[in-house]
Amino acid sequence: MEENRSPWREPSTQLFSTSRQASTNDRLEWSHNPSNPLNWLLWEKWTTMSVACWVTFIVGLNATSLTTASKALSSEFDLSNAVIEDSFLPSTVWNAAAAVVPLVTLPLMDTYGVRIGYVTYFILFCIFLIPQALAKDFTTLIVCRVFAGAFGGTLQNAADGIAANLFSSQSERALPLTVFVLSVLLGVTMGPVLGAAGESLGWRWIVWIQLIICGASIPLVVMFMRENRGSVIRSRLCKDVIVAEQGRVKESPLFGLARTISRSAVLLTTEPTIIFMTLWSSFTFGLIFISTQSVPLVFADIYGWSETAAGLAQVSIGIGQLFGFAVCLIQNNVYIRSAALNRKKAGTPIPESVLYLSIPGTAIALAGGLFMYGWGIFQSHWIVPTIGLSLTGFAITTIMHAATIYVTDEYAACAASAIAAVAFGENVFAAFLPLAARPMYLQLNFQWASTFLALIALLLTFAPIVLIYKGHNLINRQVLLGY
């Protein structure tokens, strides 16, 4: 009987036992491995994070820079701007692509690694700036803007996932995420300012200037954007252990790809928290793009400003965002100190505490700023509506800051996918809300159009209030485990 025993069974059992032990040891070693992004030196983390934020800023310029060149575009390509601004379509298609494509690309970066995708997308983004500047017809410009938005939108939103890859705790992630939010908002806000500054050279030079900036940044991205997805680095360093660990689970590559791509869509359609955050932050983000249409109308009609000067008025929103950034740093301290009050997870900040500032930010600064922007036109000086725009910029920063940190912390296991879901709504609003801005401001009159937006802002104040009291119960933990 001893001789008839299967010769392969015992070695196989030993191999499985050995592999399982190796896998356990590997997990312990990986948590202390210097290759683990969570264990990088602080300057190494911030080098990678700074590159991501810089790229987020310069990519955002391309989203809105052509909005101040609407007359030049309309004249050269013979566009009709009777009701809807056809000249705004380059921005619309950019944001529409930025809404859809990251639903696929960001989860793929989550699964297969950040560096190769990030560098590739940035180089492709730079390449598609060239035909924008050389476009001989409007169709060419639109098609190139679609590709630029697809790659640019991915790059914009990848920084959020990178922060989650590099900083392990919520308190550590607060500052990098705050800087990320500012880079997103300043990029799209200062785009019209860049367009206004470069319009005297011709609208094509607005794009050429961006190409110079982005092209000069390629070496920076190639050299300093390291792979920072821990699971990917670990699998490359310990292939034998990972293979042994996964040996009993066979998954079709196509099925795995489909599951990865669907991750953001599942979060967006099944998670009440993601839905609340998407509606709230999308409206506020869309207001920046509405301003690219309403500001020229208001300041040209009321104060007789030129289109170029009206573009420069967007600086007031950027100033408000800088003030908002400073206040968000104070909010971060409140958020970090809340860890001492957390009874469920001792030492961990309470996620809902990051929402506190956003409630007055929405109800007072955002709604109040829109009211001031609308009704300030009855004052003789342009400073009153400009202050209203600054208050709006302040509020947008506090709201986007709260939404980003809350979503990233609550969905840290799939942060890039969660933020892609929220970014989908933000870019959809940014793409299509401005198309209604001109008809709304012309038919309702300036003051009532802004009042309508202010009332929506007041209604959305309930989003952070609901999440503070019920947010933790709304999160489906099974979804997180499944992905």
Side-chain angles (χ1 to χ4, degrees), residues 98-112:
V100 176
V101 175
L103 291 173
V104 176
T105 53
L106 288 183
L108 288 176
M109 291 169 70
D110 259 358
T111 304
Y112 300 109

Side-chain angles (χ1 to χ4, degrees), residues 1 120 122 154 199 216 220 236 244 292 312 343 369 375 453 474:
M1 292 295 293
T120 300
F122 185 66
T154 299
E199 190 181 7
L220 187 71
R236 292 172 182 172
T292 64
L312 294 174
R343 297 179 180 178
W375 293 92
L453 295 174
L474 293 175

Side-chain angles (χ1 to χ4, degrees), residues 379-449:
Q379 302 296 319
S380 59
H381 202 281
W382 51 265
I383 194 64
V384 178
T386 302
I387 292 174
L389 289 174
S390 294
L391 282 173
T392 302
F394 171 89
I396 291 171
T397 304
T398 60
I399 292 168
M400 295 283 289
H401 165 262
T404 300
I405 291 183
Y406 186 80
V407 170
T408 303
D409 284 354
E410 288 285 24
Y411 298 87
C414 51
S417 304
I419 208 64
V422 177
F424 172 80
E426 291 171 351
N427 284 290
V428 166
F429 276 54
F432 298 106
L433 275 185
L435 295 178
R438 181 183 176 88
M440 181 174 67
Y441 270 82
L442 290 178
Q443 294 184 24
L444 295 181
N445 293 326
F446 300 152
Q447 67 273 24
W448 289 111

Side-chain angles (χ1 to χ4, degrees), residues 326-361:
V327 174
C328 285
L329 295 179
I330 300 174
Q331 171 65 65
N332 286 347
N333 289 330
V334 175
Y335 170 65
I336 293 170
R337 290 176 182 175
S338 70
L341 304 175
N342 195 339
R343 297 179 180 178
K344 294 182 179 179
K345 295 182 180 180
T348 301
I350 301 172
E352 290 76 18
S353 65
V354 81
L355 302 175
Y356 295 157
L357 177 63
S358 63
I359 295 176

Side-chain angles (χ1 to χ4, degrees), residues 216-354:
S217 301
I218 290 178
L220 187 71
V221 174
V222 172
M223 288 189 295
F224 297 110
M225 180 49 66
R226 298 169 57 185
E227 178 56 62
N228 52 78
R229 186 65 176 166
S231 59
V232 173
I233 298 174
R234 176 173 173 259
S235 67
R236 292 172 182 172
L237 294 176
C238 316
K239 285 185 178 180
D240 53 337
V241 175
I242 300 299
V243 169
E245 189 179 26
Q246 297 179 343
R248 292 180 298 169
V249 181
K250 302 289 185 180
E251 182 177 80
S252 165
L254 289 178
F255 177 80
L257 180 62
R259 186 170 67 89
T260 299
I261 292 174
S262 66
R263 185 182 299 156
S264 294
V266 169
L267 291 172
L268 184 60
T269 55
T270 63
E271 281 291 286
T273 299
I274 296 294
I275 295 172
F276 272 120
M277 283 295 179
T278 300
L279 290 174
W280 184 39
S281 64
S282 296
F283 173 75
T284 57
F285 188 64
L287 287 175
I288 297 177
F289 293 81
I290 288 179
S291 71
T292 64
Q293 298 297 290
S294 67
V295 168
L297 284 174
V298 171
F299 282 83
D301 187 77
I302 303 299
Y303 302 107
W305 289 22
S306 66
E307 186 179 54
T308 301
L312 294 174
Q314 296 280 123
V315 171
S316 60
I317 300 178
I319 293 173
Q321 290 168 354
L322 291 174
F323 277 107
F325 172 76
V327 174
C328 285
L329 295 179
I330 300 174
Q331 171 65 65
N332 286 347
N333 289 330
V334 175
Y335 170 65
I336 293 170
R337 290 176 182 175
S338 70
L341 304 175
N342 195 339
R343 297 179 180 178
K344 294 182 179 179
K345 295 182 180 180
T348 301
I350 301 172
E352 290 76 18
S353 65
V354 81

